[in-house]
Amino acid sequence: MTLAQRPRRNRQSAGMRRMVRETSLSAANLVLPLFVQEGTAQRSPIGSMPGQARLSIDLLVETASQAFGLGVPAVALFPALSDSLKDPRGSESLNASGLLQRSVRALKQALPELVVITDVALDPYSSDGHDGVVVDGIIDNDQTLPLLAQMAVAQADAGADVVAPSDMMDGRVGAIRRALDAAGHSRVAICSYAVKYASAFYGPFREALDSTPRSGDKKTYQMDPANHRECLREIELDVAEGADWLLVKPGLPYADIIRLVRDRTALPVAAYHVSGEYAMLHAAAERGFIDYDACLLETLTCFRRAGADIIFTYAAIDAARLLRRGT
Ligand code: PBG
């Protein structure tokens, strides 16, 4: 039979498929988020995130060097603090010898080339579990901004290469940029969680940090999952305020948003394969419903196809191993 076009011709062998592949995935695209806690040789598994744990600084350094050795260039840090250190203004975030700041120093000392990304938001430090200061039941935008700016400076002082505001307050990228520059940190980059939705997929993360809001939800600052155009406003503002990377979060269910951001900016676009997405892959694989390795690499490739340059994923070490093996 004569068919002018037979798309299958380009798929007939591994060599042909490799030649026409449009998207590549490499360990260099990945960022490994890590949870840190106090102590030595402490590893506290996170029930809803199989394979992930809160690590004391010594084990954090060990895990980061494992990732770095597999070609993963960066880690993103989240501190798990005891309740006694939490207060309404998240004051512990500014402590130069606090857990997060000590973690950054330890990582940069052991692995100077590792890119260390720190999260800027009040929630791990806040007794209210919100990303901003709660005043009379309202998350107060303008009282939060100076705290975020000081937090970013404290992280940069400790040696962070990239600060990543994940709080969704208005004007925070500009406030952070000005504070960093004034403190002599003009080389520290800002990865803005520019487009962050009020998502139910963050559940396991909040279990890891015990950071579920004590009252209310995050819908007055994080975006409505039903919205698409609104993200254009958010990215325009963050670009004008000085963002170096734009991040979309959650990940795969928001692939259309990743594509929209990719098409609208020349900045690098990051996407976050969040805790709930990671948990779903594991839960289905544990029950034998899907193949974890294959679905993981497919998922990460889809992030790249959607337009993400950088992917934050708890599965970075698994993926880097699979990529090294050439699976
Ligand atoms: C909070 C923050 C959250 C995540 C990263 N930073 C949770 C939230 O907004 O409640 C979620 C990450 C994940 O689910 O993997 N500033």
Side-chain angles (χ1 to χ4, degrees):
M1 182 164 164
T2 298
L3 281 178
Q5 286 294 343
R6 287 186 184 268
R8 288 185 56 189
R9 275 199 288 264
N10 286 342
R11 302 178 197 135
Q12 63 185 296
S13 67
M16 290 279 267
R17 290 193 295 275
R18 247 174 51 218
M19 293 173 74
V20 301
R21 182 162 295 153
E22 300 171 34
T23 306
S24 66
L25 172 68
S26 120
N29 304 125
L30 307 178
V31 174
L32 174 65
L34 290 169
F35 300 105
V36 61
Q37 65 178 358
E38 288 293 355
T40 312
Q42 294 298 310
R43 188 176 194 286
S44 313
I46 300 156
S48 52
M49 299 178 72
Q52 304 299 311
R54 290 182 293 268
L55 303 171
S56 52
I57 293 180
D58 52 332
L59 299 186
L60 178 83
V61 171
E62 212 176 281
T63 306
S65 38
Q66 194 183 10
F68 191 71
L70 285 163
V72 175
V75 297
L77 298 183
F78 297 96
L81 300 188
S82 71
D83 275 348
S84 62
L85 288 174
K86 300 184 183 184
D87 67 24
R89 301 177 73 81
S91 332
E92 176 63 14
S93 67
L94 307 182
N95 182 352
S97 48
L99 175 63
L100 191 269
Q101 271 74 253
R102 273 183 283 125
S103 308
V104 174
R105 273 191 231 105
L107 284 170
K108 292 303 290 186
Q109 193 177 1
L111 302 159
E113 304 285 304
L114 177 75
V115 176
V116 175
I117 304 173
T118 50
D119 202 74
V120 182
L122 253 54
D123 55 325
Y125 305 97
S126 155
S127 44
D128 293 304
H130 275 289
D131 293 18
V133 183
V134 184
V135 180
D136 297 331
I138 306 277
I139 318 305
D140 191 298
N141 196 86
D142 298 6
Q143 285 199 38
T144 303
L145 293 184
L147 303 181
L148 297 172
Q150 291 164 33
M151 189 186 305
V153 170
Q155 295 171 348
D157 285 344
D161 300 289
V162 180
V163 295
S166 68
D167 56 284
M168 290 300 278
M169 298 300 120
D170 294 331
R172 89 274 206 222
V173 172
I176 290 170
R177 185 70 272 161
R178 285 188 293 277
L180 287 173
D181 290 353
H185 291 303
S186 59
R187 293 177 65 212
V188 171
I190 299 177
C191 165
S192 173
Y193 284 65
V195 187
K196 178 171 177 180
Y197 287 90
S199 169
F201 286 102
Y202 307 150
F205 174 97
R206 294 179 190 168
E207 180 200 327
L209 293 190
D210 187 21
S211 63
T212 304
R214 301 297 180 254
S215 67
D217 53 41
K218 299 195 175 185
K219 291 180 183 165
T220 66
Y221 46 108
Q222 299 180 347
M223 288 169 55
D224 182 342
N227 290 358
H228 182 260
R229 290 189 304 267
E230 194 182 4
C231 89
L232 299 176
R233 245 185 125 186
E234 288 287 356
I235 64 174
E236 252 171 51
L237 288 169
D238 286 0
V239 170
E241 291 176 31
D244 297 281
W245 305 349
L246 297 174
L247 185 143
V248 174
K249 182 180 177 191
L252 218 50
Y254 294 75
D256 58 324
I257 305 297
I258 298 172
R259 169 52 52 193
L260 183 65
V261 175
R262 173 67 290 154
D263 289 344
R264 296 294 181 120
T265 177
L267 291 183
V269 174
Y272 204 133
H273 181 221
V274 300
S275 57
E277 298 176 75
Y278 174 84
M280 286 182 354
L281 267 180
H282 273 277
E286 269 170 26
R287 299 188 65 182
F289 294 167
I290 62 168
D291 177 323
Y292 175 77
D293 292 353
C295 287
L296 172 62
L297 288 184
E298 182 176 331
T299 298
L300 299 179
T301 301
C302 293
F303 272 98
R304 298 274 297 139
R305 192 197 61 221
D309 303 293
I310 300 162
I311 308 164
F312 286 55
T313 178
Y314 301 98
I317 289 181
D318 293 341
R321 280 210 187 102
L322 291 168
L323 290 166
R324 180 152 292 193
R325 231 188 280 155
T327 315

